[in-house]
Amino acid sequence: MLYLRNLTYHPTASPTPILKSINLEFAPQQLGLIIGPSGSGKSTLLEILAGLAESTSGEVYWRNQNLTPAHLQQLAGLVFQFPERHFCCGSILEELRLGHPELGSERVRNALQEVGLDALSLQTPPHSLSGGQQRRLALAVQLIRQPHLLLLDEPTAGLDWSMRQNLVKLLEKLKQHWTLLVVTHDAGDLLSIADCCWTLNHGELQSVEPDKISISQQLSAVSS
Ligand code: ADP
Ligand code: MG
């Protein structure tokens, strides 16, 4: 189980806290979905969970271990919003091995199999892939590290309808083996595969039942 206890983030540059006493419990091999409008603090929360930013107060626990940002960097894998913008290598193989040159060909093959890209040549340049394939590669780049917690920032943003449907199907498959926490401003695509759901508004997190999220809540999350 992942537990957040009274997590607050209030950088001195900000007049108000960006995350306000967040409490969350989340079981493994599930897909958790956090829905909130732009500026509500979604990316900030993922950065803290990935160990890239440090909370002002509060704790993160995995099982009964209190985690530091260094632990979180080991435990979690973050797929940024528009991850394809961060590709920097000339081939799929180099992209997957970036920072982990020790990873063998079996780990590479498994990661690509997980995301359905195993039919491609390892020498394919990431920039020549389709938009949907690039998103899959970005997932594989994190999965190859075998993170306990996979964090996804707006995974369907900027994809057309059929690419979104394919990505949702892939995430549904991945949650059988992995623990996924997804943030989005657009609940529509992902609600059907979410096991648990929260809304985030102005840094306040609230648990909601996935099947109780009404169209009006989705709309207010988008427009507020
Ligand atoms: P979302 O991903 O939901 O759109 P963000 O987490 O990116 O929201 O940002 C939440 C709010 O916090 C925004 O208003 C943003 O401008 C602000 N913010 C994020 N990081 C900092 C920081 N280090 N200092 C001041 N303000 C910040
Ligand atoms: Mg964001």
Side-chain angles (χ1 to χ4, degrees), residues 43 81 153-154:
S43 296
Q81 186 172 7
D153 197 347
E154 309 267 7

Side-chain angles (χ1 to χ4, degrees), residues 24-94:
L24 176 150
E25 288 184 21
F26 181 43
Q29 286 169 324
Q30 293 208 336
L31 188 143
L33 183 64
I34 299 178
I35 306 155
S38 176
S40 57
K42 302 182 300 294
S43 296
T44 305
L45 180 58
L46 291 193
E47 282 163 20
I48 291 172
L49 291 177
L52 304 178
E54 197 168 356
S55 62
T56 309
S57 61
E59 276 104 43
V60 183
Y61 291 90
W62 182 260
R63 301 190 182 105
N64 50 13
Q65 192 190 2
N66 191 348
L67 300 177
T68 63
H71 288 132
L72 286 166
Q73 285 174 25
Q74 292 294 318
L75 184 106
L78 171 59
V79 181
F80 290 107
Q81 186 172 7
F82 302 117
E84 55 280 0
R85 293 179 186 169
H86 303 279
F87 290 150
C88 55
C89 299
S91 71
I92 289 179
L93 182 63
E94 288 172 68

Side-chain angles (χ1 to χ4, degrees), residues 23-218:
N23 286 287
L24 176 150
E25 288 184 21
F26 181 43
Q29 286 169 324
Q30 293 208 336
L31 188 143
L33 183 64
I34 299 178
I35 306 155
S38 176
S40 57
K42 302 182 300 294
S43 296
T44 305
L45 180 58
L46 291 193
E47 282 163 20
I48 291 172
L49 291 177
L52 304 178
E54 197 168 356
S55 62
T56 309
S57 61
E59 276 104 43
V60 183
Y61 291 90
W62 182 260
R63 301 190 182 105
N64 50 13
Q65 192 190 2
N66 191 348
L67 300 177
T68 63
H71 288 132
L72 286 166
Q73 285 174 25
Q74 292 294 318
L75 184 106
L78 171 59
V79 181
F80 290 107
Q81 186 172 7
F82 302 117
E84 55 280 0
R85 293 179 186 169
H86 303 279
F87 290 150
C88 55
C89 299
S91 71
I92 289 179
L93 182 63
E94 288 172 68
E95 202 67 58
L96 286 168
R97 280 213 176 123
L98 187 66
H100 322 282
E102 75 284 1
L103 293 178
S105 54
E106 188 166 341
R107 284 282 281 274
V108 170
R109 213 174 25 247
N110 287 344
L112 288 172
Q113 246 163 20
E114 286 270 30
V115 300
L117 290 183
D118 45 316
L120 292 174
S121 157
L122 292 174
Q123 300 313 318
T124 311
H127 291 286
S128 71
L129 301 175
S130 72
Q133 288 175 327
Q134 289 183 340
R135 290 285 160 97
R136 287 166 184 263
L137 178 59
L139 278 165
V141 164
Q142 292 306 318
L143 290 179
I144 197 168
R145 297 175 44 231
Q146 304 185 333
H148 285 76
L149 176 65
L150 187 63
L151 305 165
L152 306 174
D153 197 347
E154 309 267 7
T156 56
L159 295 180
D160 70 24
W161 187 86
S162 77
M163 287 197 287
R164 285 206 309 269
Q165 299 314 304
N166 279 331
L167 193 79
V168 170
K169 266 190 225 144
L170 173 62
L171 297 181
E172 186 174 28
K173 191 196 87 168
L174 289 180
K175 76 172 185 177
Q176 297 170 4
H177 300 124
W178 307 90
T179 304
L180 296 110
L181 189 60
V182 182
V183 303
T184 183
H185 71 275
D186 179 10
D189 295 325
L190 296 155
L191 214 44
S192 62
I193 59 165
D195 299 295
C196 42
C197 235
W198 300 265
T199 56
L200 187 63
N201 280 294
H202 303 291
E204 288 180 41
L205 190 81
Q206 234 181 354
S207 168
V208 281
E209 292 295 321
D211 54 0
K212 299 235 167 67
I213 296 202
S214 64
I215 299 292
S216 65
Q217 265 175 317
Q218 285 184 45

